[in-house]
Amino acid sequence: MDSIIFDLDGTLWDPRETVLTSWNQALKEQGYNKVLTKEDLTKTMGLQMHEIAKILFTELNEQEQIKMMDDCIAIENPYVAEHGGELYPELENTLKELHKSYRLFIVSNCQDGYIEAFYHYHKLDHFFTDFENPGRTGLSKGENISLIMQRNELRNPVYVGDTQGDRNAARAAGIPFIYAAYGFGEVEDFEGKINGLVELPELLRTFQG
């Protein structure tokens, strides 16, 4: 194994409180009479932005949904960069240990600028070689994983994520999937499972053995 590709939300951190505050601010500024809850965000985790808009803004037509999502994102990225999110326990120490033996990457179903906001606040970018998302490429998560593999000449990567969509994306890219069971989704089909990030280094050693 030469590399690890991570999902972001539900795998490396929980950004829901920060994202929720920024999105509700956007809705208020646009005069949209709705207040989103943490449960609303939880049920959309792992989806692309246009899919999230369809679920959260059912009262709007497609064009209005897209505009509302764009308005949310315009506030979200700088807000996340300023306030950060809740890192999962032992994240930095785990990344530090993994970085000694593997190249690390992020592929998330987020908008352009979101991963950069995560990097900006938490100062973890030096652990990662590259990242990708549909906000930049317009591609599916599986296609973005494949793009990262091709661009960085990865021969034997593994993908770590917390949802069935993550598992499907890893399968589409033809690589093993490790289920982060502490995240937001439920997955039954996986090559490995962790209940906390601190378990990942030891699990990966069994992959190599």
Side-chain angles (χ1 to χ4, degrees), residues 14 29 43 55 60 101 150 159-160 171 173 179 194 196:
D14 180 351
E29 290 181 2
K43 68 185 179 183
I55 294 173
L60 305 179
S101 303
Q150 294 165 8
Y159 189 71
V160 183
R171 180 181 287 125
Y179 172 39
I194 55 174

Side-chain angles (χ1 to χ4, degrees), residues 118-173:
F118 164 76
Y119 284 165
H120 177 82
Y121 185 85
H122 293 289
K123 311 301 181 187
L124 298 173
D125 50 299
H126 57 284
F127 291 117
F128 297 95
T129 301
D130 196 2
F131 67 89
E132 202 50 89
N133 59 72
R136 294 204 306 186
T137 67
L139 301 175
S140 69
K141 179 170 278 189
E143 291 170 324
N144 280 325
I145 292 173
S146 295
L147 181 60
I148 283 285
M149 292 167 59
Q150 294 165 8
R151 192 159 70 205
N152 294 278
E153 299 181 344
L154 307 184
R155 296 186 177 184
N156 190 23
V158 63
Y159 189 71
V160 183
D162 67 306
T163 68
Q164 185 62 43
D166 292 334
R167 201 292 168 247
N168 295 343
R171 180 181 287 125

Side-chain angles (χ1 to χ4, degrees), residues 40-112:
D40 290 327
L41 292 192
T42 301
K43 68 185 179 183
T44 65
M45 285 294 171
L47 301 178
Q48 291 199 21
M49 304 311 290
H50 69 280
E51 297 171 320
I52 294 174
K54 289 181 180 179
I55 294 173
L56 296 183
F57 309 127
T58 55
E59 306 88 348
L60 305 179
N61 62 43
E62 184 175 358
Q63 184 175 1
E64 291 170 334
Q65 289 173 351
I66 293 172
K67 183 182 183 305
M68 186 62 72
M69 198 78 260
D70 288 343
D71 291 338
C72 289
I73 290 170
I75 292 179
E76 177 188 359
N77 280 354
Y79 194 84
V80 170
E82 182 178 355
H83 297 277
E86 181 183 349
L87 299 181
Y88 285 124
E90 295 300 317
L91 173 61
E92 185 167 3
N93 287 337
T94 301
L95 292 176
K96 187 179 298 183
E97 181 176 353
L98 294 172
H99 190 252
K100 297 174 183 177
S101 303
Y102 311 99
R103 299 172 70 196
L104 308 181
F105 303 84
I106 295 176
V107 172
S108 172
N109 265 348
C110 61
Q111 70 274 14
D112 190 21

